[in-house]
C-alpha cells in the first residue's frame, strides 16, 4: 500500500487544501488577526455588539446603521419565544443527555414548526437564520434552569442577546460587565472560515438540503473535543488540577504520556490565536471582581509550560472556559454557547454556498480489494 501521506493531491485532514471560496472571514497573516469581512475582531469586540456582528455576517459584510441595527435587534428579540411543546419535550430528556445533543434535537424540532423550512430563497434563509439565533439560547437556558430544579424564564424582550441569555439562566438582569464579557466571547466565536463544523454545514447546504439540516450537522461536528468541545474539557481539566501549585506537574505528566491539552493549538494559527487574549482580558475583569483568581494563576502556568515545551499557545476555547465558569454557568454549556454564537457564521456560510453552489463531493484514494468473485455463503 502506498504511503498515504505521499499520494499526489492528497492532504490528510484536508490540511492546506482550498475546498471553496469565501468572502466572510480570514486570518490576516500580519499579526494573525481574525477579520470578519475585513473588520478586525478585536475592534468589533471593543466597539460593537454580538447582534451587530450577526448583522454584518448575515448581510454580506455590511455594517448596520442605527436604524438597521434597531430593526435587526427587534426582529431577533421578537423571535426568542420557543413553542412550549419543544421546551417541554427537551426539558424532559434524561438529565444525563449532553447539552449539545439537546441543541441538535432543538434545531431539528424547530424545523417542524418553521413555515419556511423548505424555502431556500435568500429572504427565507435570512429569516430562518434570525429565528435560529434567537431561539437556541432560549432552549439552552430553559434546560439549565430545569436541571437546576427551577422553572424556565421567558425571554426578556428588551435586553441584548448576551444579557437576555444570562437573564433567562438566572432569572435576573445581569450586571453590565457580565453581559459584556459574554457578548465579547460570542463575537469571538461567531465565525472562522472553513473549520470542521462550518465545512459540515456547507457540505450539507451544497446538496440543497434545508438550513435546519445544515445546522444540525454543524452542531454534531462542533461537539467533538478536537473542535468546540475543547472549551468544556479545558475547564474540567482546570477543576481537576484544582490548585496552581499542582498545575505544572499535571501538565508535564500529560505531555510525557503524549496526551493533548485541550484548549491549546490550532490548525490555522501557528503562533497565536488572536481571540484568546481578548477573551482572557474580559475573564480577568470578572476574576478581579469576584476575587476568584486561581483559575488564571493555573492558566498562566499551563500557558508557560506549553509554550516552553511544545511551542503551543492557548486557543480561544481556553480563556472562554474560564470566562464562562466565572459567569457562574455550568461547564456543560460551554460548547453550546459556542453554538449560540457560531450559528451566525454557519448561516452566513450556508447562504454563501447557495449563492454559487456546486455539490461538494470530493474524491478518495481507494485502498480496498480489486474486483473479485462472490463466494456463496455455504462455501465461506
Ligand atoms: N496538546 C498537546 N500537543 C498538541 C496539542 C495540544 N493541544 N495540539 C497539537 N499538539 C501536537 C500534536 O500532538 C502533534 O505532535 P506530534 O507532531 O509530535 O505528533 C503536533 O502538535 C501537531 O498536532 P495535530 O493534532 O496533528 O495538528 P492539527 O493541526 O491537526 O491540530 C488541533 C489542531 C486539532 C486543534 C490540535 O491542536 C488539538 O487537538 N488541540 C486540542 C483541542 C482543541 O483545543 N481544539 C480546539 C480548536 S480551536 C476551536 O475549535 C475554537
Amino acid at each position: 500500500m502506498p504511503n498515504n501521506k505521499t499520494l499526489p493531491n492528497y492532504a490528510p485532514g484536508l490540511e492546506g487544501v482550498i475546498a471553496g471560496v469565501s468572502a466572510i472571514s480570514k486570518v490576516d497573516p500580519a499579526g494573525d488577526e481574525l477579520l470578519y469581512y475585513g473588520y478586525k475582531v478585536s475592534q468589533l469586540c471593543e466597539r460593537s455588539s454580538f447582534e451587530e456582528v450577526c448583522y454584518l455576517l448575515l448581510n454580506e459584510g455590511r455594517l448596520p446603521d442605527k436604524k438597521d441595527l434597531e430593526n435587526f435587534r427587534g426582529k431577533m428579540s421578537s423571535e426568542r419565544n420557543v413553542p412550549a411543546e419543544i421546551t417541554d419535550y427537551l426539558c424532559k430528556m434524561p438529565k444525563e443527555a449532553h447539552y449539545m445533543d439537546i441543541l441538535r434535537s432543538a434545531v431539528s424540532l424547530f424545523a417542524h414548526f418553521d413555515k419556511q423550512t423548505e424555502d431556500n430563497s435568500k429572504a427565507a434563509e435570512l429569516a430562518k437564520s434570525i429565528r435560529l439565533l434567537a431561539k437556541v439560547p432560549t432552549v439552552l437556558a430553559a434546560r439549565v434552569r430545569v436541571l437546576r430544579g427551577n422553572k424556565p424564564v421567558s425571554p426578556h424582550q428588551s435586553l441584548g442577546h448576551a444579557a437576555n441569555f444570562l437573564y433567562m439562566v438566572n432569572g435576573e438582569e445581569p450586571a453590565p460587565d457580565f453581559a459584556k464579557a459574554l457578548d465579547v466571547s460570542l463575537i469571538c466565536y461567531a465565525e472562522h472560515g472553513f473549520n470542521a463544523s462550518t465545512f459540515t454545514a456547507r457540505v450539507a447546504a451544497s446538496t440543497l438540503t434545508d438550513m435546519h439540516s445544515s445546522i444540525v450537522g454543524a452542531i454534531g461536528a462542533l461537539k467533538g473535543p478536537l473542535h468546540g468541545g475543547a472549551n468544556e474539557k479545558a475547564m474540567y481539566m482546570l477543576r481537576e488540577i484544582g490548585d496552581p501549585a499542582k498545575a505544572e506537574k499535571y501538565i508535564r505528566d500529560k505531555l510525557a504520556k503524549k496526551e493533548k491539552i485541550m484548549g491549546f493549538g490550532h490548525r490555522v494559527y501557528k503562533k497565536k490565536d488572536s481571540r484568546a487574549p481578548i477573551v482572557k482580558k474580559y475573564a480577568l475583569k470578572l476574576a478581579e471582581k469576584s476575587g476568584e483568581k486561581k483559575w488564571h494563576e493555573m492558566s498562566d502556568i499551563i500557558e508557560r509550560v506549553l509554550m516552553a515545551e511544545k511551542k503551543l499557545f492557548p486557543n480561544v476555547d481556553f480563556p472562554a472556559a474560564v470566562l464562562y465558569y466565572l459567569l457562574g454557568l455550568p461547564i456543560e454549556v460551554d460548547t453550546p454557547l459556542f453554538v449560540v454564537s457560531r450559528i451566525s457564521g454557519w448561516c452566513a456560510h450556508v447562504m454563501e454556498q447557495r449563492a454559487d453552489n456546486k455539490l461538494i463531493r470530493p474524491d478518495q484514494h481507494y485502498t480496498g480489494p480489486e474486483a473479485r468473485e462472490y463466494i456463496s455463503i455455504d462455501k465461506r
Side-chain angles (χ1 to χ4, degrees):
M1 199 164 74
N3 174 359
N4 288 347
K5 287 194 174 156
T6 58
L7 282 171
N9 302 325
Y10 172 56
L14 298 184
E15 186 165 6
V17 171
I18 294 173
V21 174
S22 179
I24 304 174
S25 70
K26 76 171 253 183
V27 175
D28 195 347
D32 278 345
E33 177 101 41
L34 179 60
L35 312 177
Y36 297 161
Y37 278 108
Y39 295 107
K40 289 181 181 171
V41 166
S42 56
Q43 273 189 345
L44 293 169
C45 285
E46 293 305 327
R47 302 178 57 186
S48 77
S49 63
F50 178 64
E51 289 95 316
E52 199 172 328
V53 168
C54 290
Y55 185 99
L56 173 79
L57 295 174
L58 298 176
N59 290 281
E60 296 172 29
R62 209 170 61 248
L63 277 175
D65 63 22
K66 278 187 184 160
K67 194 144 184 284
D68 294 331
L69 186 57
E70 203 180 303
N71 286 339
F72 187 78
R73 282 203 165 117
K75 273 190 208 156
M76 263 185 51
S77 62
S78 69
E79 293 284 4
R80 283 178 180 156
N81 286 318
V82 169
E85 298 95 312
I86 296 185
T87 325
D88 292 351
Y89 181 74
L90 292 173
C91 288
K92 281 186 194 137
M93 290 297 110
K95 65 175 178 6
E96 300 75 24
H98 198 292
Y99 273 92
M100 287 295 277
D101 297 345
I102 296 290
L103 292 196
R104 196 195 56 223
S105 300
V107 173
S108 251
L109 291 169
F110 291 158
H112 307 312
F113 290 77
D114 196 314
K115 291 191 173 56
Q116 291 178 300
T117 297
E118 302 302 328
D119 183 348
N120 288 355
S121 67
K122 184 75 193 289
E125 299 280 56
L126 194 53
K128 284 184 282 182
S129 305
I130 292 172
R131 279 198 283 280
L132 284 169
L133 276 163
K135 291 186 196 309
V136 165
T138 308
V139 167
L140 181 57
R143 178 83 182 166
V144 173
R145 284 188 71 80
V146 168
L147 290 189
R148 283 177 168 172
N150 302 316
K151 283 208 165 78
V153 166
S154 298
H156 194 305
Q157 301 301 338
S158 57
L159 289 178
H161 200 67
N164 172 57
F165 178 73
L166 294 172
Y167 168 79
M168 289 190 296
V169 167
N170 299 319
E172 57 186 45
E173 289 190 31
D177 51 348
F178 272 50
K180 176 66 184 171
L182 179 59
D183 192 78
V184 162
S185 75
L186 296 180
I187 293 176
C188 286
Y189 269 140
E191 156 60 12
H192 210 285
F194 275 38
N195 57 83
S197 56
T198 302
F199 193 57
T200 303
R202 285 190 80 125
V203 170
S206 82
T207 72
L208 302 185
T209 188
D210 60 281
M211 171 78 89
H212 289 80
S213 298
S214 304
I215 303 305
V216 166
I219 294 174
L222 187 73
K223 181 183 171 189
L226 293 189
H227 192 5
N231 55 11
E232 51 189 272
K233 298 272 185 258
M235 196 62 221
Y236 283 123
M237 176 185 77
L238 289 173
R239 268 225 319 221
E240 193 183 317
I241 300 171
D243 179 350
K246 295 183 183 156
E248 180 153 355
K249 180 174 178 336
Y250 180 98
I251 293 298
R252 287 189 185 281
D253 287 352
K254 273 204 172 257
L255 291 180
K257 285 187 262 171
K258 301 237 172 289
E259 285 180 33
K260 277 190 166 175
I261 313 298
M262 294 296 132
F264 282 81
H266 201 278
R267 174 64 67 79
V268 175
Y269 298 108
K270 295 302 170 206
K271 291 196 203 107
K272 65 167 196 247
D273 176 344
S274 58
R275 299 165 299 175
I278 305 173
V279 173
K280 187 170 182 178
K281 178 175 137 188
Y282 284 88
L284 276 167
K285 285 186 191 181
L286 297 181
E288 283 295 322
K289 197 170 170 184
S290 66
E292 237 190 301
K293 294 189 182 158
K294 74 170 181 177
W295 308 112
H296 281 111
E297 286 165 16
M298 272 188 261
S299 301
D300 289 345
I301 294 165
I302 297 169
E303 286 177 27
R304 176 176 52 73
V305 174
L306 280 169
M307 183 45 73
E309 295 301 318
K310 302 274 294 181
K311 296 258 175 302
L312 280 170
F313 50 86
N315 59 54
V316 64
D317 280 337
F318 195 58
V322 176
L323 186 144
Y324 294 153
Y325 199 74
L326 293 170
L327 285 176
L329 296 166
I331 297 175
E332 298 78 27
V333 309
D334 287 6
T335 316
L337 279 169
F338 197 154
V339 174
V340 163
S341 162
R342 187 57 65 85
I343 293 170
S344 56
W346 291 333
C347 292
H349 277 273
V350 166
M351 289 190 277
E352 190 181 58
Q353 178 68 35
R354 299 247 202 259
D356 186 19
N357 191 52
K358 183 165 171 72
L359 177 72
I360 299 174
R361 202 304 189 188
D363 223 335
Q364 62 170 11
H365 172 70
Y366 177 69
T367 59
E370 293 308 325
R372 50 181 168 164
E373 280 305 308
Y374 177 79
I375 305 164
S376 59
I377 198 160
D378 50 324
K379 296 215 172 110
R380 278 175 227 157

